[in-house]
Amino acid sequence: MKQVIIFFLVILGCIGCNTKHYAQYDNVESDSVRIVQHLTAITKTDGYRNYKNAPLLNQTAEYIFSVFNQYADTVYYQQFQFGDETYMNVVCRLGSENNKPLVIVGAHYDVHEETEGADDNASGIVGLLELVRILSKEKLNYPIEIVAYTLEEWTMTGSITHAKSLQDAGIPVYGMVAFEMIGYFDDRPNSQSYPVKALKLIYGNKGNYIMLAKKNSTGAFVRNFSNSFKKQATIETKSVEAPLKWGVGRSDHSSYWKFGYDALMITNTANYRNPNYHKSSDTMETLDILRMMKVIDATALAIINLE
């Protein structure tokens, strides 16, 4: 009963979320009902999706697989050993007919310790689930591989495994995007902090935007994707190219950097904004579904319009 009440409370808060269309793509519109259903299925479980609970992680992987399988050309589990346990990424492919370098979009489904991990990182996983549904209806210029990783919170083994598999197979890669915490926003003054205080003068003191985080040197994919994302104007967007010590590498995209691939992170800046970061209070009731939808829509449009 509690989950049903939560479901309807969040839906009531999102009435009208689906009324705006962007650009000329009528199908590019995330769905608040689906988002809440996915968040509920992933976060409202018995136990926690951490590395100590492989059965629940595998249950979550099966849920992701079931959604991917409704829309993708190909879906499979990528299994790997860590310690005595077997873990698995969930991988799907769209636009396989395109003979061009691969574009990867990924997010991790495991959590830190004993938390629901709604923003970190069920929000990113739900972004993937909506992205595959939206992109399956569109003509794509590149083959798109969408990957749900495990063990990001514990050595990033999942994304390292996937990135290495691409290199080992000699698969050309155009670039990679990571969803890392895309559901928490705050319009209050001083709700946003930074690793360097002076950045507040540049980016402002309100946590009401999404950040495209990159390392100092970027390639053609990151530049093109970033320009396309901003052009959609679905949500206030800011970019940072910064040294790793500022935290721009704190997600699965950094695994691709290790293998020489161009990659960036889409994030609400994690603990620099969200007071629930790595705490039991990181629940779906704290998320801003409307702005989360706008992040997903901008990502879909940026991918569709990639040159």
Side-chain angles (χ1 to χ4, degrees):
M1 184 63 183
K2 180 180 178 182
Q3 293 182 12
V4 174
I5 293 172
I6 290 169
F7 175 85
F8 282 106
L9 283 175
V10 180
I11 287 295
L12 287 172
C14 288
I15 290 175
C17 286
N18 282 346
T19 59
K20 188 172 182 179
H21 293 259
Y22 301 98
Q24 69 272 38
Y25 300 95
D26 289 338
N27 290 327
V28 178
E29 187 175 49
S30 48
D31 186 313
S32 61
V33 174
R34 284 189 174 92
I35 286 173
V36 173
Q37 288 174 335
H38 293 324
L39 285 169
T40 302
I42 293 169
T43 67
K44 303 301 180 182
T45 56
D46 293 328
Y48 303 98
R49 307 184 313 278
N50 58 45
Y51 76 96
K52 301 173 186 176
N53 194 346
L56 182 54
L57 285 174
N58 291 338
Q59 177 184 313
T60 305
E62 290 168 2
Y63 178 83
I64 295 166
F65 186 104
S66 70
V67 179
F68 281 175
N69 201 38
Q70 296 176 46
Y71 307 106
D73 302 341
T74 304
V75 188
Y76 65 92
Y77 295 115
Q78 183 180 50
Q79 295 185 333
F80 59 90
Q81 287 293 126
F82 190 85
D84 296 330
E85 296 285 356
T86 299
Y87 298 90
M88 50 194 181
N89 298 327
V90 190
V91 186
C92 75
R93 181 76 69 91
L94 295 168
S96 300
E97 69 280 2
N98 289 302
N99 187 25
K100 291 183 179 180
L102 192 63
V103 172
I104 303 124
V105 187
H108 71 90
Y109 63 88
D110 62 312
V111 301
H112 175 77
E113 297 298 338
E114 296 186 352
T115 66
E116 287 189 14
D119 194 28
D120 185 17
N121 189 34
S123 67
I125 288 295
V126 172
L128 298 186
L129 299 181
E130 274 295 271
L131 197 64
V132 69
R133 182 184 66 82
I134 293 168
L135 294 180
S136 69
K137 303 174 185 178
E138 301 294 335
K139 179 175 174 57
L140 301 172
N141 295 325
Y142 289 86
I144 311 297
E145 194 148 282
I146 297 178
V147 191
Y149 313 107
T150 190
L151 299 194
E152 188 269 355
E153 298 285 1
W154 190 256
T155 72
M156 295 195 196
T157 308
S159 52
I160 290 172
T161 297
H162 183 257
K164 185 177 185 301
S165 72
L166 297 175
Q167 186 178 78
D168 289 348
I171 297 174
V173 173
Y174 185 25
M176 186 269 178
V177 178
F179 280 145
E180 179 62 56
M181 302 180 64
I182 62 169
Y184 186 89
F185 298 85
D186 196 331
D187 293 306
R188 294 174 297 177
N190 298 314
S191 56
Q192 181 70 47
S193 62
Y194 301 92
V196 177
K197 290 184 179 180
L199 292 175
K200 190 171 289 190
L201 300 175
I202 301 172
Y203 295 102
N205 65 11
K206 295 180 180 179
N208 59 358
Y209 60 86
I210 199 71
M211 178 70 83
L212 306 183
K214 319 158 195 179
K215 62 180 180 179
N216 281 333
S217 59
T218 60
F221 170 78
V222 168
R223 292 193 297 272
N224 292 341
F225 178 89
S226 299
N227 290 337
S228 185
F229 187 100
K230 292 175 183 177
K231 190 181 296 183
Q232 311 315 320
T234 69
I235 187 168
E236 179 72 19
T237 303
K238 303 186 181 185
S239 295
V240 61
E241 292 185 21
L244 296 183
K245 65 181 181 180
W246 285 12
V248 295
R250 289 167 50 193
S251 191
D252 292 298
H253 61 300
S254 65
S255 296
Y256 295 81
W257 290 346
K258 296 179 190 296
F259 294 91
Y261 299 130
D262 203 22
L264 79 158
M265 171 174 58
I266 302 177
T267 180
N268 58 24
T269 75
N271 56 300
Y272 292 114
R273 175 185 306 175
N274 191 341
N276 307 303
Y277 178 72
H278 285 182
K279 296 179 181 177
S280 60
S281 53
D282 182 13
T283 64
M284 62 181 283
E285 295 79 15
T286 67
L287 302 187
D288 184 328
I289 305 297
L290 173 57
R291 279 187 276 205
M292 183 175 159
M293 291 166 61
K294 292 180 177 181
V295 174
I296 299 166
D297 293 348
T299 304
L301 288 165
I303 290 172
I304 292 166
N305 288 291
L306 273 176
E307 298 177 357

